[in-house]
Amino acid sequence: MNYIGIDCGLDGAIVTIRDNSIHSMIEMPTYKQNDKRSVDIEKLAYIFDSENKRQSHVAIVEDPGGHAPSAAGLRSMTYSFAVIKTLLVANNIKHHCFYARKWQSDFFKKPKDFVGKFDTKKSALESANKIWANTDWRRTERSKKAFDGFVDAALIAEYGRRRKL
C-alpha cells in the first residue's frame, strides 16, 4: 500500500511511503509570476497522474482549516488545498483531509506545564527521525537544515498508514 502525505503549502511537499519506508520526497511544485508564488498545477497534475498508476494508494492532505500566520497565507494555503483536492478527485486517488493538529497529536503533544511558544517543527523533526532514522530531510545537499515540508508530509503519510486509511 502506498501512502501519499501532502503538506499543501507553497513550501510544502509530497512524500510517498511504501512498505513502511519513504519511497519518494518531492517539493511542492511552484512557479513565480508577478513576484508571487503559486502552485504549478501542470506539474502537480503530472505527479498525481503518475502516482495514480501505482497499484494501491491513499493520499492524506493537510487541510489549512482556517489557520495561517496571515490572511494572505490563508488564501494561498486554501487555494493550494483546493487545487490538490481537485487533482486527487480528477485522478480517482482515494484521499482523506485532516487538520494539522489531528495528525500531529499522533506524534507529539505540547507538555501541559509548557510556557511560551511550542515549536511544532522541531517536535515533528524529532518524531520523524525516530521513525525513519538516517533519512536526509534536507531540500538539497547544500542545505544545512531539514526541510519542514518533507518532514510534515512524511508524518502526514505515516498518520494515514497507522490509521489504515
Side-chain angles (χ1 to χ4, degrees), residues 8 43 57 81 91 93-94 130 155:
C8 65
K43 285 183 183 174
H57 49 266
F81 176 74
N91 283 286
I93 298 175
K94 181 180 172 185
K130 286 178 187 172
L155 290 175

Side-chain angles (χ1 to χ4, degrees), residues 19-35:
D19 300 324
N20 303 334
S21 62
I22 294 177
H23 175 68
S24 67
M25 296 192 296
I26 304 167
E27 285 183 61
M28 183 62 64
T30 63
Y31 70 95
K32 195 170 186 178
Q33 185 176 14
N34 300 328
D35 293 329

Side-chain angles (χ1 to χ4, degrees), residues 1-46:
M1 176 72 85
N2 293 329
Y3 287 93
I4 307 164
I6 304 170
D7 177 351
C8 65
L10 294 176
D11 288 319
I14 302 161
V15 173
T16 303
I17 294 176
R18 181 185 298 167
D19 300 324
N20 303 334
S21 62
I22 294 177
H23 175 68
S24 67
M25 296 192 296
I26 304 167
E27 285 183 61
M28 183 62 64
T30 63
Y31 70 95
K32 195 170 186 178
Q33 185 176 14
N34 300 328
D35 293 329
K36 289 187 177 182
R37 283 176 59 213
S38 187
V39 170
D40 188 324
I41 298 172
E42 289 82 13
K43 285 183 183 174
L44 199 56
Y46 177 79

